[in-house]
Amino acid sequence: MQRYLFLGLSLLFAGSLYGQSLKKYPISNSGCSAYFFCDPGSITHEKSPDSSDVYTGKCSKDAVSYGIICVRLKDKINDLGAGEEMLVSYL
């Protein structure tokens, strides 16, 4: 069993040497961070109609675009269905 674990970890490490590397970037002054393959630059901050804080950012690397939408809700949502609808509306 240990032999398989060591082999799996070795392959994982060897594969990561040639892959793209993720780097952690702060999401403006929200207190949140996100991992990107490229620098998202300045993050845009806006207020949603319900006064929640919405942070957005994007970047491109090797013809691939990456983006983030980070939302700090003004009010807690306890209903799972309402939370799902809110998530879909932001996307």
Side-chain angles (χ1 to χ4, degrees), residues 20 24-25 27 30 40 48 52 55 61-62 75 82 85 90:
Q20 296 178 356
K24 187 176 181 180
Y25 294 94
I27 305 300
S30 68
S48 69
S52 296
Y55 300 90
K61 182 176 181 177
D62 299 330
D75 299 316
E85 287 178 25
Y90 279 110

Side-chain angles (χ1 to χ4, degrees), residues 77-87:
I77 299 175
N78 293 320
D79 179 31
L80 186 60
E84 184 177 0
E85 287 178 25
M86 177 76 71
L87 175 64

Side-chain angles (χ1 to χ4, degrees), residues 29-80:
N29 60 355
S30 68
C32 298
S33 298
Y35 288 89
F36 280 94
F37 290 111
C38 51
D39 185 357
S42 63
I43 303 293
T44 305
H45 174 251
E46 297 177 2
K47 289 283 191 180
S48 69
D50 69 347
S51 297
S52 296
D53 293 310
V54 180
Y55 300 90
T56 57
K58 62 181 177 178
C59 63
S60 297
K61 182 176 181 177
D62 299 330
V64 178
S65 296
Y66 303 94
I68 186 166
I69 301 171
C70 178
V71 180
R72 177 175 284 170
L73 298 174
K74 180 182 174 192
D75 299 316
K76 184 177 180 179
I77 299 175
N78 293 320
D79 179 31
L80 186 60

